[in-house]
Amino acid sequence: MRVLFAGTPAVAVPSLDALVAVGFDVVAVLTRPDAPLGRKRVLTPSPVAARAAELGIEVIHAAKVDADVTARIAAAAPDVAAIVAYGGLIPRDALDVPRYGWINLHFSLLPAWRGAAPVQRAVMAGDDVTGAVTFLLEEGLDTGPVLGTLTESVRPDDTAGALLERLSHSGAVLLTQTLSAVDAGKAAAVQQQGDVSLAPKLTLDDGRLDWRQPALAIGRRARGVTPEPGAWTMMDGQRVKLAPVLLRPEAPALQPGRLAMDGKSVIVGTGSHPVELTRIQPSGKKMMTAADWARGQATLESVVFE
């Protein structure tokens, strides 16, 4: 079966590799254009584009699937399109090109967490279980019927990055199984059932920690925004980046945003019990352990996170 693969970030690469490994004929890859990265803003291919080049697969770079891109997709003559975190909408004309349609690997148990940041929102919400589905892509936001499902437990210390890494590999297996079922004429699409929740793309503001919230909510948010856009707070009028925090219900009580030493640990007050800082990156400096940072503060008790 001839497959067009659409994807952009590193989490999509295991799916591309899996499709090639099991013998699908990946005729072309659709991915976002090269993007400036690093301090020097060097134009860099997406992880999917780089892997496709290594595999010798034609790459179609497109920020938007317009008529010209649709024509290039049609010229590749795919039987089906597999899409994993491409990062753009697929219009009706393009959806109609492959005879089996577009099959999307989505990292949530739809209809929960429809949108661009399902794993991050699941961690932030404190979900115990999440997963991935393959579904037939429609013009609506993640509304199509489901073809395959897997579940994954959310571990207490999971960051969004760690959870997404696991799902990228198990989801790759699910995607190949789904396409194999489609190729064999054994795939069965089931309409989504259950409560709908939305997972819009994260912004920088989503990473700001509100120390008035309970410790549990702060911990979930910090893990949910790691690695991107990252947790942060304000200190002395400057933005300070933070690694995920640890819950410290036994620590001495502090006012929200106030800092103190508890033994060798740096703790911060919240709306409930304190949390422990693990690593911190002050403005203009490198990430360091909270203990190393604290040693550079004249009086830690005078520091306030806002």
Side-chain angles (χ1 to χ4, degrees):
M1 185 162 64
R2 295 171 62 84
V3 179
L4 169 81
F5 183 81
T8 297
V11 295
V13 172
S15 289
L16 174 58
D17 283 342
L19 291 172
V20 172
V22 300
F24 285 106
D25 183 11
V26 180
V27 293
V29 161
L30 171 67
T31 191
R32 304 279 292 180
D34 296 358
L37 295 181
R39 291 184 177 181
K40 294 185 178 180
R41 311 301 288 167
V42 177
L43 278 178
T44 306
S46 74
V48 166
R51 183 59 179 144
E54 292 173 351
L55 294 169
I57 300 172
E58 177 192 358
V59 178
I60 303 171
H61 295 91
K64 179 181 179 181
V65 180
D66 55 17
D68 289 341
V69 174
T70 300
R72 291 189 64 185
I73 293 171
D79 298 307
V80 68
I83 181 168
V84 186
Y86 161 61
L89 297 176
I90 310 299
R92 179 79 265 164
D93 288 349
L95 289 176
D96 290 339
V97 170
R99 58 174 173 154
Y100 293 124
W102 292 63
I103 296 176
N104 194 159
L105 171 63
H106 182 79
F107 299 115
S108 82
L109 299 176
L110 292 175
W113 304 123
R114 291 175 175 172
V119 174
Q120 295 91 330
R121 298 292 179 181
V123 173
M124 290 163 66
D127 291 358
D128 294 322
V129 177
T130 186
V133 300
T134 48
F135 71 96
L136 288 172
L137 198 64
E138 300 177 338
E139 290 183 276
L141 178 64
D142 300 336
T143 56
V146 172
L147 295 162
T149 302
L150 66 85
T151 58
E152 176 74 33
S153 295
V154 182
R155 301 169 187 170
D157 60 346
D158 265 337
T159 63
L163 179 55
L164 190 53
E165 174 68 15
R166 295 203 304 276
L167 286 170
S168 72
H169 292 281
S170 57
V173 175
L174 176 65
L175 182 62
T176 60
Q177 292 172 339
T178 299
L179 264 62
S180 294
V182 169
D183 194 25
K186 297 180 179 179
V190 179
Q191 294 299 321
Q192 297 180 27
Q193 297 181 350
D195 296 331
V196 175
S197 53
L198 300 180
K201 182 179 179 179
L202 297 183
T203 67
L204 182 62
D205 286 342
D206 286 307
R208 184 169 188 173
L209 303 183
D210 182 351
W211 302 103
R212 297 167 297 180
Q213 290 190 334
L216 185 60
I218 291 171
R220 288 170 175 170
R221 179 167 291 271
R223 290 185 290 107
V225 298
T226 299
E228 293 293 340
W232 60 279
T233 189
M234 294 298 293
M235 182 183 75
D236 295 333
Q238 295 185 317
R239 186 161 61 91
V240 175
K241 298 180 181 179
L242 301 172
V245 299
L246 304 176
L247 304 184
R248 290 291 305 277
E250 80 292 350
L254 289 169
Q255 290 295 313
R258 290 287 179 176
L259 279 71
M261 295 299 298
D262 183 40
K264 296 182 179 180
S265 301
V266 182
I267 59 173
V268 188
T270 74
S272 57
H273 60 74
V275 296
E276 179 183 335
L277 297 183
T278 57
R279 292 183 297 150
I280 181 170
Q281 184 178 3
S283 178
K285 297 184 179 181
K286 294 182 178 180
M287 185 72 78
M288 65 185 77
T289 67
D292 285 344
W293 169 78
R295 281 192 287 270
Q297 305 303 306
T299 307
L300 190 62
E301 287 73 13
S302 67
V303 177
V304 179
F305 284 168
E306 301 172 0

